[in-house]
Amino acid sequence: MLALTLELNGSRRAEIRFSDRLQGDLGEASPAQRASLAGGRWTRLRQQHGAKVVTVTEPGEADGAAADAAVTATSDAVLTVRTADCAPLALVAAEGVVAAVHAGWRGLAGGVVEESAAAVRRLGGRHIRAFVGPCIGPECYEFGRQHLEDLAARLGRDIVSRTAWGTAALDIPAAVRAALRRAGISDVIEADRCTACEAESWYSHRARGESARHVLATWISPG
């Protein structure tokens, strides 16, 4: 598990957790099992590979909503997304707002990062930091040329890469960074972990056909 705790303005804290293979697939786990990552009521999304963002005003609200990101300024509301090769992204505003974002290539094309940043700002977030969890690296992510060119037209040529075997690849971390820049966020911390390369730690659908997923959980803890 990767874990971060950040001080917010006032006495509250933002908590970020990225589960790993050792914790198993927590998406359908019992509350007791989920507590190993984050206690309390979770908001779990029916992810669509789109750009819809839900706003959570009380713990557990919008659980099961069809969306790819959730945002809250409410304490103890645990926001979650599930990923294997897509990028799990947490946004934290010092003013006391957090978001959990599922950023796959379709969501990036549709603007899920920009929509999530806008939702954070609507709740009063101004000084926003971004935290990118484990995802597939470009050396392992062969990608269709036309989709790659379409995405590059939106996010820039930095997202175009090559696999370890020399074919066209999408650089998901670079695409997330580019989307964050479009959203006006430059303070970015990345796990720099490849789900395809590091089989002992992470699930990968693309590399190993696994159906299990990691969970990103983020929430605001009272002081």
Side-chain angles (χ1 to χ4, degrees):
M1 177 174 66
L2 302 179
L4 292 163
T5 299
L6 303 169
E7 298 295 327
L8 304 176
N9 294 351
S11 60
R12 297 195 295 174
R13 300 183 302 274
E15 303 288 352
I16 304 171
R17 303 288 186 272
F18 299 96
S19 71
D20 58 24
R21 182 183 288 277
L22 291 177
Q23 291 179 285
D25 186 341
L26 298 173
E28 302 302 325
S30 69
Q33 291 171 310
R34 296 200 301 267
S36 67
L37 186 71
R41 297 183 64 187
W42 286 24
T43 293
R44 297 162 295 177
L45 304 176
R46 285 190 294 114
Q47 295 164 194
Q48 310 292 299
H49 293 276
K52 183 177 179 181
V53 183
V54 296
T55 298
V56 174
T57 60
E58 61 183 41
E61 184 180 9
D63 189 35
D68 283 270
V71 59
T72 193
T74 301
S75 294
D76 295 326
V78 182
L79 310 181
T80 69
V81 293
R82 301 175 72 226
T83 63
D85 298 314
C86 297
L89 170 66
L91 302 179
V92 176
E95 294 78 11
V97 188
V98 298
V101 186
H102 165 237
W105 76 265
R106 291 181 179 87
L108 288 163
V112 69
V113 172
E114 296 93 321
E115 291 294 330
S116 299
V120 170
R121 293 187 173 104
R122 284 194 294 272
L123 291 182
R126 295 294 177 266
H127 298 88
I128 305 172
R129 303 176 71 184
F131 301 85
V132 186
C135 60
I136 195 167
E139 67 277 11
C140 299
Y141 194 16
E142 186 171 5
F143 205 75
R145 174 62 66 181
Q146 188 57 58
H147 286 313
L148 188 60
E149 290 301 321
D150 291 345
L151 199 54
R154 184 177 191 274
L155 296 175
R157 300 300 302 177
D158 287 349
I159 72 165
V160 178
S161 188
R162 308 291 289 182
T163 64
W165 51 95
T167 56
L170 171 61
D171 189 332
I172 282 275
V176 173
R177 289 193 299 271
L180 288 166
R181 285 194 299 272
R182 286 170 58 93
I185 300 172
S186 58
D187 191 348
V188 183
I189 294 176
E190 300 180 45
D192 194 25
R193 306 291 295 272
C194 176
T195 51
C197 290
E198 301 179 46
E200 72 284 358
S201 298
W202 313 108
Y203 301 120
S204 174
H205 178 73
R206 176 60 68 105
R208 292 177 290 280
E210 293 172 302
S211 60
R213 297 290 184 265
H214 316 111
V215 173
L216 156 62
T218 185
W219 69 98
I220 296 169
S221 176

